[in-house]
Amino acid sequence: MTVTTDDFTTLTRVLDERWTCRQFHSQPVERDTIRALLRLAQRTPSWCNTQPWQVVVTEGAGTDRFRKELVEHIATATPASDFEFPAQYTGAYRDRRRECGKQLYDSVGIAKGDHEKTMRQAVRNFELFDAPHVAIVTSEADLGVYGAVDCGLYIGSFLLGAQSLGLGAAPQAALASYSPFVREYFGIPEHRKVVAGISFGYPDLDHPVNGFRTTRADADEVATWFAD
């Protein structure tokens, strides 16, 4: 027997409909709406209720300046992140990554082996996909990996909140790959580590890059039951 509630049904719908937006309208999000989103995300659970996340939110000319200077920076800088990126992708993880990449490239007409267009699409990350806002999520260094895990939960809450408000959002580890620049640009203290960025705003639903949806593995593929 399947037991559901109205809350479960609503949460399922929001999760099913959430997607990563890769092209935004320039229209800014109202400050009151952003504040509502931040208040919702603040309800995220964390280890010992430490709430390690701190968030820098840009808007208006602040977003445009950051976008411009970040793109200029990555053109000549070497990536440097506060947390190690994956060493490699193997097995199912490699297959899922490739599937997502193929969907993305197919949506914007990038043929396999077209390195120029592939690099141009990669730069779109640092252009924030033309979003009017970006949230930079940081964690306290002393809390280590568990602070980062808590921030991951915060990002999940933020994404679901954005979806429920009719906004588009793109979680971006790419922004954390230039952590020293991001930290210096926003005057973030050295004891704060950059976890990720989230570009957000009103989604351009007519753009082809927003036309695909990624798949999910069946729950039976990831859950192991021990009954005895």
Side-chain angles (χ1 to χ4, degrees):
M1 179 178 66
T2 301
V3 179
T4 62
T5 64
D6 290 344
D7 286 347
F8 183 84
T9 300
T10 299
L11 181 57
T12 299
R13 177 177 56 79
V14 174
L15 273 166
D16 283 345
E17 294 178 356
R18 193 215 66 80
W19 51 285
T20 296
C21 181
R22 294 181 175 86
Q23 183 61 50
F24 295 86
H25 289 299
S26 59
Q27 176 188 354
V29 179
E30 299 79 0
R31 178 73 73 87
D32 285 348
T33 301
I34 298 176
R35 288 188 183 280
L37 175 55
L38 294 173
R39 285 195 297 269
L40 181 146
Q42 196 60 31
R43 301 305 304 170
T44 300
S46 58
W47 189 314
C48 299
N49 196 34
T50 51
Q51 304 171 56
W53 48 80
Q54 289 285 316
V55 190
V56 175
V57 181
T58 70
E59 60 183 354
T63 304
D64 294 334
R65 284 195 299 269
F66 174 62
R67 182 183 1 253
K68 178 178 180 294
E69 295 193 28
L70 178 60
V71 170
E72 291 175 354
H73 176 76
I74 68 158
T76 58
T78 300
S81 59
D82 290 336
F83 296 94
E84 289 187 16
F85 273 49
Q88 60 180 333
Y89 296 88
T90 60
Y93 314 114
R94 176 191 59 214
D95 295 342
R96 293 166 188 163
R97 183 171 185 261
R98 285 178 175 174
E99 178 189 45
C100 178
K102 185 177 187 304
Q103 288 178 292
L104 170 60
Y105 296 150
D106 286 349
S107 73
V108 290
I110 299 177
K112 184 177 181 179
D114 191 331
H115 300 296
E116 181 177 348
K117 287 186 177 180
T118 298
M119 289 301 298
R120 178 71 190 108
Q121 183 60 40
V123 172
R124 293 292 293 145
N125 281 279
F126 306 102
E127 293 173 344
L128 313 178
F129 306 119
D130 298 333
H133 309 277
V134 66
I136 304 297
V137 182
T138 68
S139 179
E140 189 69 21
D142 287 346
L143 297 180
V145 67
Y146 292 103
V149 168
D150 287 339
C151 286
L153 293 174
Y154 177 90
I155 292 169
S157 297
F158 189 106
L159 298 177
L160 294 180
Q163 179 69 27
S164 70
L165 289 167
L167 303 176
Q172 295 177 264
L175 303 188
S177 65
Y178 292 90
S179 294
F181 171 82
V182 172
R183 187 182 299 103
E184 181 179 1
Y185 185 90
F186 290 111
I188 298 170
E190 286 294 325
H191 60 84
R192 303 293 307 176
K193 301 303 180 184
V194 179
V195 178
I198 311 170
S199 293
F200 68 99
Y202 291 103
D204 182 352
L205 298 177
D206 293 327
H207 196 286
V209 78
N210 287 331
F212 73 92
R213 300 292 181 266
T214 54
T215 61
R216 293 295 183 272
D218 189 273
D220 288 338
E221 294 184 41
V222 301
T224 301
W225 295 82
F226 281 86
D228 298 320

